[in-house]
Amino acid sequence: MSDDKEPAYRPLGKAPSSVAPVGAPLAPKRLALVTGGHRRLGGIIAAALAKAGHSLAVHGSHDTRLDSHLALTFEEERTEWDGFVVDFADPEGAEELVARVAERFGRPPDILINSAALFGQDRLDTVTADDLMRHYAVNCAAPTLLTKAFATIPAGVGDRCIVNILDQRIDHPHADQLAYTLSKLALAGLTRTSAASLAPKVRVNAVAPGLTIATPDYDEAQMERLAQMMPLARLPQAEQIAQAVLYLVEATAVTGQTLYVDGGAHLKSYDRDFMHLCR
């Protein structure tokens, strides 16, 4: 490619604000806004969407530095993308995010993936009002305001959809991570409520993952033992969760559904969070 031609994809921060919207040359592609989409599970979902040919608006709470696999995927797929920083600790910023994306790309997003999440350690005897409000702000209030903005921004007549990322524990809550669990239960409620109220213009579904990307709280032997505790005797891979998201993005006859991708964990009740088991 000669130096006087722009690449088909534009890495973060390379275009000045005066350029034409990046969406203009590639408008037939669907545009996906993925919150928390620069790393971990959100990054794997964003990569799957890029491989499926979608353009990406990638949100991060404090930065949008891409995980290396995601940066490589965007380069290989020549993905049209941009990054947006909004701290959902102030959920009002979430409502403005959809308009910012629409302005930058020259069109509103067709797909919204509510993946960003706050996760903390608390129980009923230790949880504080601040814990409850911080988790609710990021894990439910921000997705609610994003849903509102997504549904009300002027858009075309094509299929538009929202996928919320929940947690398999919503079927059998335990006492650990109380503030997080309550906020995910609220997000599950939003999924069903908004699916009913926004039909037929917007479809709303959810994916409820099980334990997948290990944090430093786990070691390899513990993960192997935990896998054997699942009804399917295996833990889900992050790419399998991303594939469930892709299915819901493309399933134009599906709304109000939650897909559990968890090795069957939601079928059982566990006394503690997985990090405390099989040590």
Side-chain angles (χ1 to χ4, degrees), residues 157-216:
V157 296
D159 179 66
R160 304 183 74 229
C161 65
I162 299 170
V163 181
N164 295 322
I165 305 301
L166 304 179
D167 191 299
Q168 57 83 24
R169 75 177 68 197
I170 61 174
D171 261 29
H172 293 284
H174 49 67
D176 293 321
Q177 295 93 36
L178 179 67
Y180 168 83
T181 301
L182 291 175
S183 65
K184 286 294 185 177
L185 286 165
L187 184 58
L190 172 67
T191 301
R192 291 186 60 83
T193 301
S194 56
S197 63
L198 298 181
K201 293 184 178 180
V202 177
R203 299 184 297 108
V204 186
N205 294 288
V207 173
L211 175 61
T212 179
I213 302 176
T215 67

Side-chain angles (χ1 to χ4, degrees), residues 8 11 36 46 95 102 107 114 117 140 158 165 172 180 190 241:
E95 192 165 2
R107 65 194 195 276
N114 282 312
C140 186
I165 305 301
H172 293 284
Y180 168 83
L190 172 67
I241 295 164

